[in-house]
Amino acid sequence: GAVVSQHPSRVICKSGTSVKIECRSLDFQATTMFWYRQFPKQSLMLMATSNEGSKATYEQGVEKDKFLINHASLTLSTLTVTSAHPEDSSFYICSADTKVNTEAFFGQGTRLTVV
Amino acid sequence: GQQLNQSPQSMFIQEGEDVSMNCTSSSIFNTWLWYKQDPGEGPVLLIALYKAGELTSNGRLTAQFGITRKDSFLNISASIPSDVGIYFCAGQLSRSWGKLQFGAGTQVVVTP
């Protein structure tokens, strides 16, 4: 199946700094990617839809100025957590729509810890 | 918005037993999906259901898309230790295959 790769898999940062997470589609072009957040022992919650060449669409309650999404190419979407705080510590997962396969492909996730 | 209720929250079973979990929705989904997530990993698709009433199997897994399009169940037969993990149902929110609403998850623990 299609491969979606996230980097880094784990990151620890200091409070107040920014962190960038990359989501790449390795063997297909993805005009649309999705970012999810998962807190411990909870489900995946959709944060935003990343659209290649245009602005991201954010779900209700997600601060667009805090979670900056850039989808500058057909194979890469980035999520930048700006001015991170401990409450932003979470597991961030991306998925990509191949527009061909009738399923979504997920990355392996990024564990963010803000100290 | 749409609400997905998944139950049970957790299950502790013995190896060889069958497992059953289900999801109900407050409104209609056009596609139901079942995923398994191992610790520290992204979810992996187990079964996808596209039509109301559809019954689909994948090895020891069987899932059905309810006739009303508001519910789905997943069965695991003859459980083995590697079935341990968290199982999520998900409904497709739009025509984009990656935009999903997930249930709360069912944690399955299999003891030898």
Side-chain angles (χ1 to χ4, degrees), chain B residues 16-36:
Chain B
E17 290 184 338
D18 297 344
V19 177
S20 184
M21 61 195 80
N22 68 84
C23 274
T24 59
S25 170
S26 58
S27 52
I28 290 171
F29 281 112
N30 290 321
T31 303
W32 281 93
L33 305 130
W34 285 94
Y35 287 87
K36 182 184 180 212

Side-chain angles (χ1 to χ4, degrees), chain B:
Chain B
Q2 292 170 312
Q3 298 288 324
L4 274 187
N5 298 306
Q6 184 172 350
S7 64
Q9 187 175 8
S10 60
M11 300 189 72
F12 293 81
I13 59 172
Q14 281 198 317
E15 185 175 357
E17 290 184 338
D18 297 344
V19 177
S20 184
M21 61 195 80
N22 68 84
C23 274
T24 59
S25 170
S26 58
S27 52
I28 290 171
F29 281 112
N30 290 321
T31 303
W32 281 93
L33 305 130
W34 285 94
Y35 287 87
K36 182 184 180 212
Q37 186 180 30
D38 292 325
E41 300 287 335
V44 175
L45 182 67
L46 298 174
I47 291 181
L49 302 160
Y50 305 106
K51 294 182 182 178
E54 180 180 353
L55 182 70
T56 298
S57 293
N58 178 9
R60 293 180 294 107
L61 307 176
T62 302
Q64 185 160 31
F65 192 158
I67 291 291
T68 64
R69 293 196 286 163
K70 292 185 178 182
D71 63 296
S72 176
F73 72 75
L74 174 71
N75 287 341
I76 306 172
S77 63
S79 59
I80 59 178
S82 62
D83 290 333
V84 165
I86 302 178
Y87 293 78
F88 291 98
C89 63
Q92 182 189 341
L93 289 168
S94 73
R95 291 186 179 183
S96 291
W97 291 100
K99 190 172 184 179
L100 305 171
Q101 181 166 3
F102 283 82
T106 295
Q107 181 168 17
V108 172
V109 177
V110 181
T111 56

